[in-house]
Amino acid sequence: MSERLQPGDTAPDFSLPDADGNPVSLADRKGRKVIVYFYPAALTPGCTKQACDFTDNLDVLAAAGYDVVGVSPDKPEKLAKFRDTENLKVTLVGDPSKETMEAYGAFGEKKLYGKTVTGVIRSTVVVGEDGAVLQAFYNVKATGHVAKLIKDLKI
C-alpha cells in the first residue's frame, strides 16, 4: 500500500481519460487549486450522492478558485453514463490501472463491514496552485463530506 499524502507533499501528476476519453492532467490545472476526490465506483448510491454534492456546490467551489476532479477505476464509457444519468458537472476521470489512486494513497487495505479488503479508499486531496498538497482526507464519508470540506476550506 502506498503512503498517504501529507500537506506540503508534491501532488503526483496524472493524465487520465475523462468521460469522453479526453486526457485530463493535474499539470493542465497549474495555477488553480484542485480538489481531487477518489471514489470506488460510478453509479453506486454513495458515490452518486458524493458526485451530486460536488456538482451542487461546484459554483461555490469555482468562485473560491477550486476545480474538482473525481477519480474512480471506471472506464470512460461508464463515467459518461454516470455523468449523463445524474446530470453531473464535475470532471470525472478513470484510473483502471489504479496507479494514480496508489500514488495518492487512495487504494489499499481498508475495513469493509468488519473485514479487511483491498480497494479504493474514499479520499479527497486538495492541491494548491503550485502543485503542493494543502490538505488530504482519507476514509471520508460519502454523505456530508462536501459540506465539511467547504467548512474546512473556509469557503
Side-chain angles (χ1 to χ4, degrees):
M1 184 167 107
S2 55
E3 291 295 310
R4 292 183 170 185
L5 296 175
Q6 302 293 324
D9 289 349
T10 298
D13 194 17
F14 58 82
S15 182
L16 298 169
D18 69 8
D20 297 314
N22 300 314
V24 172
S25 74
L26 189 61
D28 290 343
R29 288 169 162 69
K30 203 112 177 135
R32 298 263 312 157
K33 294 176 276 193
V34 184
I35 296 168
V36 184
Y37 80 96
F38 299 89
Y39 63 98
L43 299 166
T44 58
C47 297
T48 297
K49 174 71 176 130
Q50 187 177 22
C52 288
D53 282 353
F54 270 116
T55 292
D56 292 346
N57 289 285
L58 205 54
D59 290 342
V60 171
L61 293 165
Y66 291 92
D67 291 343
V68 179
V69 178
V71 183
S72 74
D74 298 307
K75 291 185 166 48
E77 302 78 31
K78 188 173 180 188
L79 296 175
K81 184 176 180 189
F82 187 34
R83 177 195 63 203
D84 297 343
T85 301
E86 302 297 336
N87 295 315
L88 301 174
K89 304 290 182 241
V90 246
T91 301
L92 301 173
V93 299
D95 181 22
S97 72
K98 302 173 188 76
E99 286 177 24
T100 298
M101 292 182 180
E102 288 176 355
Y104 276 78
F107 187 85
E109 283 189 359
K110 63 179 184 175
K111 293 274 188 210
L112 189 65
Y113 305 113
K115 293 184 178 180
T116 300
V117 298
T118 300
V120 178
I121 299 163
R122 192 180 301 275
S123 312
T124 301
V125 177
V126 181
V127 181
E129 295 100 328
D130 60 356
V133 173
L134 299 176
Q135 295 183 350
F137 306 93
Y138 292 92
N139 297 306
V140 302
K141 302 281 183 229
T143 303
H145 173 62
V146 177
K148 182 182 180 321
L149 184 62
I150 288 170
K151 185 178 173 211
D152 288 349
L153 296 174
K154 296 175 177 48
I155 298 172

